[in-house]
Amino acid sequence: MKKIHIKTYGCQMNVYDSERMAEAMAPEGYAQTDDAAAADVVILNTCHIREKAAEKVYSDIGRLRELRQERRLAGGKDLLIGVGGCVAQAEGKEMLRRAPAVDLVFGPQTYHRLPAMVRAALTERQTAGQARVIDTDFPAEDKFDHLPAARTHGAAAAFLTIQEGCDKFCTFCVVPYTRGAEVSRPAAKIIAEAERLIGQGVVEITLLGQNVNAYHGLGEDGASWGLARLIRRLAAIPGLARLRYTTSHPRDMDDDLIAAHGELDSLMPYLHLPVQSGSDRILSAMNRGHDAADYRRLVERLRRARPDLAFSSDFIVGFPGESEADFAATLALAREIGYAQAYSFKYSARPGTPAAEMESQVAEEVKAERLALLQAEIAASQWRFNQASVGRRMAVLLERPGRTEGQLVGRSPYMQAAHVDAGPAAADLIGRIADVEIISAGPHSVAARLGDDGRRTAA
Ligand code: 5AD
Ligand code: SF4
């Protein structure tokens, strides 16, 4: 059997896309491998969001080129190198020029054509020694209609893309250019995909979209449905114990969605709600469409609807023009909200975005200093959040074996990694939701034991 290795960079949407690519290639006789050295085809599913992620692709291509040369010298099998995802979309032909070792370049909207592209590239390699296949269209057809039904590989948690693209045009961000305009999938297709996943043993679904709460898909009744409506419908499917969604924009948290957090047990009490900055000046320069007070009010309203709701966020430090006072406002906001977790990044100037052209770019050392301060604040906040869980009972979805005998690793409702001492029955509990008691906390995880009433499990 032929083998395909897919390396995923960046966000969960790419993780989902990589899974779909593997499924599209299975009928062509390709089995997935974790080992690039054993593969006939390697696909890099790339991320363009920051320069570092984008540049890493080129060093990985260099390594693959060497691997191919070594194999050739040793008389081994050939290797087809494909690059997909957002760097491929952004650079297109330029990538083939800059990295001649690449045979195949395709964007996030055309990977349903991957089997045909790979066939074409293989033929070209055989005849010309090198392929130059490129497809970075935004096709009219819906790629999801041309992909095999979603499958999982025994995992009890799955991603489901419901929306792609973004019309917000934050001034730092490439997404509106690489992923294109906002498009929502029709509810009926999402429901069918969810039902299939649940039929395969999935108990937790994370709905994905670059701007997931801007969802406005065609509903089953012919009306346009917002995210809350879709979530209420999905929550009614028997067997779906947990629902999450990511990533949200503060401007799209409407009343119905806030209310849903208070009403639906299966909607997990954890929300990734990026704020980027705590300074009004910077938020405005970022074109975020809200100020810090709007964000604080929103968090308050959400907490009123669901008092135990935990928050996570994304932050950018060193956006052009960010002063000490602006950064202090970001630190203060982070401290005040008390995030359960958060991601923070140094601003990275991206070609073609308005912020890249702004004057007063912040020096690299200043960015590094601010990032360290913010990350220390976030780490402290995360640890406090974990410590506050000690003594609490909660339902943990047990996902995989831990490091020691009888230990399992799972996720709490608040997305904490939970190490659960499950005893001799551990293996039988994978994929189940168990009632546990949190007994201790670390900076990045909590430790738990099965609840006193023994192995009472749901799902
Ligand atoms: N520089 C740094 N971080 C960025 N992000 C998006 N674009 C940039 C950029 N140019 C961050 C934002 C976003 C997350 C996915 O990546 O915080 O929420
Ligand atoms: Fe990028 Fe802003 Fe759209 Fe998020 S909302 S994808 S940060 S442009």
Side-chain angles (χ1 to χ4, degrees), residues 49 166-170 172-176 210-211 247 249 276 288:
I49 199 100
C166 181
D167 297 334
K168 294 279 190 305
F169 291 92
C170 298
F172 52 80
C173 186
V174 288
V175 166
Q210 259 98 25
N211 228 212
T247 289
H249 194 294
Q276 313 297 355
R288 292 289 291 175

Side-chain angles (χ1 to χ4, degrees), residues 265-324:
D265 286 338
S266 58
L267 187 54
M268 289 292 99
Y270 175 89
L271 182 62
H272 184 60
L273 194 64
V275 67
Q276 313 297 355
S277 169
S279 152
D280 290 345
R281 271 188 59 229
I282 298 297
L283 286 169
S284 161
M286 287 176 164
N287 189 33
R288 292 289 291 175
H290 66 82
D291 62 19
D294 294 330
Y295 185 85
R296 287 185 167 92
R297 265 193 301 275
L298 178 57
V299 167
E300 215 176 87
R301 288 178 63 208
L302 280 155
R303 282 187 168 143
R304 234 178 288 138
R306 175 86 202 219
D308 66 333
L309 191 62
F311 289 90
S312 118
S313 184
D314 292 338
F315 291 95
I316 295 177
V317 300
F319 184 84
E322 185 187 72
S323 67
E324 283 299 330

Side-chain angles (χ1 to χ4, degrees), residues 208-449:
L208 298 181
Q210 259 98 25
N211 228 212
V212 75
N213 59 343
Y215 177 83
H216 59 280
L218 176 68
E220 287 176 305
D221 55 2
S224 169
W225 285 12
L227 182 59
R229 185 89 194 266
L230 178 70
I231 286 176
R232 287 179 203 281
R233 173 67 179 81
L234 291 170
I237 303 176
L240 183 54
R242 296 176 156 206
L243 264 167
R244 305 178 184 277
Y245 59 93
T246 198
T247 289
S248 295
H249 194 294
R251 254 158 71 191
D252 294 318
M253 281 316 294
D254 64 22
D255 294 348
D256 197 15
L257 191 52
I258 295 173
H261 277 279
E263 292 163 17
L264 301 172
D265 286 338
S266 58
L267 187 54
M268 289 292 99
Y270 175 89
L271 182 62
H272 184 60
L273 194 64
V275 67
Q276 313 297 355
S277 169
S279 152
D280 290 345
R281 271 188 59 229
I282 298 297
L283 286 169
S284 161
M286 287 176 164
N287 189 33
R288 292 289 291 175
H290 66 82
D291 62 19
D294 294 330
Y295 185 85
R296 287 185 167 92
R297 265 193 301 275
L298 178 57
V299 167
E300 215 176 87
R301 288 178 63 208
L302 280 155
R303 282 187 168 143
R304 234 178 288 138
R306 175 86 202 219
D308 66 333
L309 191 62
F311 289 90
S312 118
S313 184
D314 292 338
F315 291 95
I316 295 177
V317 300
F319 184 84
E322 185 187 72
S323 67
E324 283 299 330
D326 293 322
F327 176 64
T330 298
L331 267 186
L333 181 78
R335 191 169 305 149
E336 188 187 317
I337 304 290
Y339 290 100
Q341 182 184 325
Y343 304 91
S344 46
F345 311 100
K346 287 191 276 189
Y347 169 71
S348 166
R350 306 307 290 127
T353 59
E357 308 297 320
M358 288 179 188
E359 281 165 25
S360 56
Q361 298 283 329
V362 174
E364 207 45 43
E365 313 84 74
V366 175
K367 286 185 200 169
E369 219 171 84
R370 290 179 186 170
L371 186 68
L373 286 169
L374 180 59
Q375 288 189 335
E377 180 61 47
I378 291 167
S381 162
Q382 182 171 355
W383 201 351
R384 276 197 300 275
F385 182 84
N386 289 344
Q387 278 163 336
S389 310
V390 176
R392 286 190 58 189
R393 308 267 303 249
M394 48 183 88
V396 166
L397 171 55
L398 301 166
E399 290 180 321
R400 57 190 163 88
R403 260 191 234 132
T404 58
E405 180 88 25
Q407 195 190 62
L408 297 175
V409 186
R411 291 267 160 207
S412 80
Y414 311 101
M415 282 298 270
Q416 294 152 297
H419 299 273
V420 182
D421 201 353
D428 300 337
L429 293 177
I430 290 181
R432 297 188 148 248
I433 296 173
D435 182 29
V436 309
E437 184 188 344
I438 307 298
I439 49 177
S440 66
H444 307 291
S445 64
V446 293
R449 63 168 169 246

Side-chain angles (χ1 to χ4, degrees), residues 108-129:
Q109 300 309 333
T110 53
Y111 66 77
H112 55 295
R113 301 174 183 160
L114 188 58
M117 288 190 260
V118 167
R119 266 182 261 129
L122 284 172
T123 311
E124 267 189 53
R125 276 197 74 78
Q126 264 164 10
T127 49

Side-chain angles (χ1 to χ4, degrees), residues 84-103:
C86 295
V87 179
Q89 185 67 43
E91 297 190 4
K93 272 202 205 81
E94 172 64 18
M95 172 166 271
L96 289 178
R97 197 192 55 73
R98 193 173 154 194
V102 173
D103 299 294

